[in-house]
Amino acid sequence: MTSREFTITQEAIDRMTPKDERFGQVMTSLIRHLHDFIRDVQLTEEEWMTAIQFLTKAGQTCTDKRQEFILLSDTLGVSILVDAINNRLPEGATEQTVLGPYYWEGAPHKPMGANIAEGIVGEPCLYSGIVTSLDGKPIEGATLDIWSGDGEGNYDMQLGSDEMRARAVLTTGKDGKFWFWSVKPSFYPVPSDGPVGAMLDAMGRHPNRPGHMHFILRAPGHKTIVTHIFPSDSPYLDTDTVFGVKDGLIVDYIRHEPGTTPTGDTKTVPYHTCHYDFQLAPVSDVEKLKSA
């Protein structure tokens, strides 16, 4: 008689009568790979119960401002893999990266040139650039949904704030240009007081992300992208715990002494400037890639 150790996989698959073909395809593959994994490592009952408790604790750690499962996905490289598969972009388009666990929908719309980080700890930084299509033409009406931590790596929601800070939505004019003041972002550890932090420690990995400014860019007729820009002098660029760094997103932040800024403001403390141009892919170009 064949051991159930080798027959249970097909039995579990055969019992399905999925109402949706794609769901059936995904679940069939999931069952096969999960069972193969268990057989490969010869998982013990104690280890399986530990895994169940880990997932249970991950769910219990989630709140309306913290998503431990997104953190788990990010730190295992799953988020960036799903992104790579689902967001293949034409050459020259600005690259995507992970959303991260600190996105807060509904940031306030602010005028171009606004200081989105008033009262925030950190060294001032003037961000500027232009949003264009792949042909180099400026895009009017592109929106930039922007957020970051402060100069010490803390996000507003981590500090228990009910008020959005260092977040804004800007809209480009006919020239496609954008500029705003914020702070130079600092490296920071992802939340490590929960089950994901314990997992990283057990794996011998650090929990740190390099400094970065988040952007979601949307424009009529163009593919929406979720991305960051990273200061070139930030630590952990090579070992980002969520695997989100891409070479094309690393940018030089230029330090300036106190004085008159490019926008005509006067700064009494040192400040930085950061210039980065975004190239968005037309939806038609992205669809061509999918059908190729």
Side-chain angles (χ1 to χ4, degrees):
M1 177 182 292
T2 303
S3 169
R4 199 123 192 260
E5 177 181 341
F6 301 101
T7 62
I8 185 60
T9 302
Q10 193 58 49
E11 183 178 343
I13 292 170
D14 289 344
R15 288 194 184 185
M16 290 195 302
T17 54
K19 298 177 181 179
D20 178 83
E21 182 179 355
R22 174 62 176 169
F23 178 75
Q25 179 188 6
V26 171
M27 289 306 298
T28 296
S29 183
L30 173 63
I31 291 169
R32 288 195 188 281
H33 283 79
L34 180 58
H35 286 209
D36 285 343
F37 158 73
I38 292 169
R39 282 187 287 262
D40 179 43
V41 301
Q42 292 292 287
L43 200 69
T44 68
E45 291 177 332
E46 181 182 5
E47 289 166 340
W48 182 235
M49 184 52 64
T50 297
I52 290 173
Q53 291 171 342
F54 171 84
L55 293 173
T56 300
K57 189 173 181 181
Q60 292 169 340
T61 305
C62 294
T63 69
D64 60 342
K65 294 183 179 179
R66 175 168 173 173
Q67 234 300 349
E68 195 77 359
F69 281 109
I70 290 180
L71 188 59
L72 177 61
S73 173
D74 289 350
T75 54
L76 291 178
V78 174
S79 297
I80 202 69
L81 175 58
V82 172
D83 169 75
I85 291 170
N86 287 275
N87 293 288
R88 298 182 179 102
L89 295 170
E91 185 176 354
T94 299
E95 297 172 286
Q96 287 230 154
T97 190
V98 294
L99 177 67
Y102 296 124
Y103 178 60
W104 193 346
E105 190 172 0
H109 289 256
K110 294 194 175 182
M112 201 64 71
N115 181 356
I116 73 169
E118 290 185 3
I120 296 293
V121 174
E123 298 175 350
C125 182
L126 174 63
Y127 293 82
S128 64
I130 184 170
V131 182
T132 71
S133 191
L134 284 184
D135 60 7
K137 293 181 179 179
I139 300 176
E140 181 181 5
T143 61
L144 297 87
D145 195 341
I146 309 157
W147 72 102
S148 78
D150 61 23
E152 296 177 347
N154 297 307
Y155 287 78
D156 46 10
M157 58 178 59
Q158 287 180 289
L159 300 174
S161 174
D162 291 327
E163 177 186 357
M164 290 187 178
R165 307 182 73 191
R167 299 174 188 268
V169 175
L170 307 178
T171 303
T172 60
K174 291 183 178 180
D175 58 6
K177 292 181 179 180
F178 70 89
W179 65 98
F180 63 94
W181 283 94
S182 187
V183 296
K184 182 182 180 183
S186 172
F187 75 90
Y188 63 87
V190 298
S192 56
D193 58 339
V196 173
M199 178 194 74
L200 290 172
D201 183 63
M203 294 170 74
R205 289 175 52 192
H206 68 72
N208 296 305
R209 296 215 65 200
H212 54 276
M213 177 67 70
H214 293 263
F215 294 85
I216 299 177
L217 289 101
R218 302 178 175 90
H222 292 76
K223 174 78 168 65
T224 296
I225 64 165
V226 176
T227 195
H228 309 346
I229 55 175
F230 300 88
S232 59
D233 61 350
S234 180
Y236 306 110
L237 287 172
D238 295 331
T239 57
D240 179 9
T241 196
V242 307
F243 308 95
V245 178
K246 298 180 180 180
D247 289 346
L249 302 177
I250 299 174
V251 188
D252 290 333
Y253 279 58
I254 309 301
R255 187 179 186 275
H256 304 270
E257 294 302 320
T260 303
T261 73
T263 57
D265 303 304
T266 299
K267 294 295 181 185
T268 59
V269 296
Y271 67 95
H272 301 263
T273 54
C274 171
H275 185 93
Y276 190 84
D277 296 332
F278 293 97
Q279 290 81 41
L280 304 187
V283 171
S284 57
D285 289 7
V286 176
E287 292 301 321
K288 288 177 185 176
L289 279 180
K290 291 181 180 180
S291 60

